[in-house]
């Protein structure tokens, strides 16, 4: 059965969901050691979290890109993750979903989070037909993420390097077995449309009034 085009897939428990980010060692290593983001982590700027391990690998080049050498698995509360989704705005204008471009811009400026969908990736980091959620956090959402939602932070750069080595060697079965066990994430029992041309999905955005 084909994957739904728009669906959150993540490693999650009854109370937490794991997202991924990559940082310089100066930020990433202290964060993993202390289990929280250090004071130098800028809480007043947009930060993007990714529930997809392979999309993170695409973004950071398996932890080899400059400034993204420390790959972090950040376990956050499901309550916080769902709060961000419920207060998010779609990152691009959709003429069927939004009343007009000006209304969308006002919602985007006001929203503490934004939802973006990018092609999911395979083990060779090639794009797939279905999409992966990227969740941008700013303002209140960024501060809550760093100081209240975070449950644990783990440095998974070595895991990234190991999986990448198996991919380079052509041992895709072993590489696949090492991937985090991501599965559909049940956001809520309510549904919101993806866009005017897509079926409903358990993800919301732009809930604020114009």
């Amino acid at each position: 059965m084909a994957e739904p085009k728009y669906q959150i897939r993540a490693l999650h428990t009854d109370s937490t969901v794991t997202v991924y980010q990559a940082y310089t060692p100066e930020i990433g290593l202290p964060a993993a050691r202390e289990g929280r983001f250090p004071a130098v982590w800028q809480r007043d700027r947009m930060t993007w979290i990714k529930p997809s391990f392979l999309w993170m690998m695409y973004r950071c080049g398996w932890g080899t890109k400059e400034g993204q050498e420390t790959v972090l698995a950040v376990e956050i509360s499901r309550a916080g993750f769902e709060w961000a989704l419920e207060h998010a705005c779609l990152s691009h204008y959709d003429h069927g979903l939004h009343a007009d471009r000006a209304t969308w811009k006002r919602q985007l400026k006001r929203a503490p989070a934004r939802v973006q969908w990018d092609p999911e990736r395979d083990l060779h980091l090639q794009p797939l037909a279905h999409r992966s959620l990227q969740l941008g956090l700013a303002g209140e959402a960024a501060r809550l993420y760093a100081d209240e939602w975070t449950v644990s932070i783990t440095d998974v750069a070595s895991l990234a390097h190991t999986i990448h080595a198996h991919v380079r060697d052509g041992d895709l079965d072993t590489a696949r077995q090492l991937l985090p066990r991501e599965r559909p994430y049940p956001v809520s029992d309510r549904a919101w449309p993806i866009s005017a041309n897509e079926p409903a999905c358990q993800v919301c955005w732009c809930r604020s009034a114009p």
Side-chain angles (χ1 to χ4, degrees):
M1 179 181 298
E3 292 275 5
K5 186 174 182 179
Y6 297 96
Q7 182 184 61
I8 298 176
R9 290 168 296 276
L11 176 65
H12 59 87
T13 68
D14 289 343
S15 60
T16 66
V17 57
T18 297
V19 297
Y20 300 94
Q21 296 190 292
Y23 290 100
T24 62
E26 289 75 17
I27 292 178
L29 293 180
R33 183 172 60 249
E34 303 297 330
R36 65 187 307 274
F37 288 101
V40 295
W41 192 88
Q42 296 183 11
R43 288 154 172 79
D44 58 351
R45 62 180 296 180
M46 175 77 70
T47 189
W48 288 86
I49 58 177
K50 300 109 178 146
S52 166
F53 180 84
L54 283 176
W55 203 94
M56 185 70 257
M57 295 306 100
Y58 163 72
R59 181 67 179 82
C60 71
W62 298 100
T64 63
K65 291 184 179 180
E66 184 177 0
Q68 300 184 58
E69 300 91 346
T70 307
V71 184
L72 301 179
V74 184
E75 193 179 21
I76 65 175
S77 69
R78 286 178 58 156
F81 183 66
E82 293 175 16
W83 183 94
L85 289 174
E86 290 167 4
H87 291 81
C89 182
L90 191 61
S91 64
H92 67 273
Y93 170 69
D94 186 304
H95 67 87
L97 182 63
H98 305 106
D100 52 53
R101 190 174 294 273
T103 299
W104 164 72
K105 285 184 176 179
R106 287 196 300 271
Q107 292 173 333
L108 185 68
K109 183 177 181 179
R110 186 168 61 237
R114 59 187 61 178
V115 163
Q116 180 171 307
W117 294 96
D118 295 299
E120 181 59 281
R121 300 285 160 166
D122 63 15
L123 279 167
H124 294 290
L125 306 185
Q126 295 303 301
L128 297 172
H130 56 283
R131 299 276 170 158
S132 173
L133 172 75
Q134 321 305 321
L135 188 57
L137 308 175
E140 180 184 9
R143 292 189 295 273
L144 289 170
Y145 168 69
D147 299 323
E148 295 188 24
W149 299 344
T150 298
V151 175
S152 69
I153 302 178
T154 304
D155 182 353
V156 293
S158 61
L159 174 64
H161 299 160
T162 298
I163 294 175
H164 188 204
H166 287 301
V167 172
R168 289 199 308 267
D169 292 342
D171 189 358
L172 299 187
D173 287 341
T174 300
R176 194 169 291 110
Q177 290 171 10
L178 293 173
L179 290 174
R181 299 295 185 237
E182 295 167 8
R183 52 197 173 93
Y185 182 88
V187 177
S188 72
D189 58 0
R190 293 182 59 186
W192 287 263
I194 292 292
S195 73
N197 299 314
E198 295 291 343
C201 173
Q202 289 185 334
V203 179
C204 56
W205 44 70
C206 291
R207 293 185 60 189
S208 302

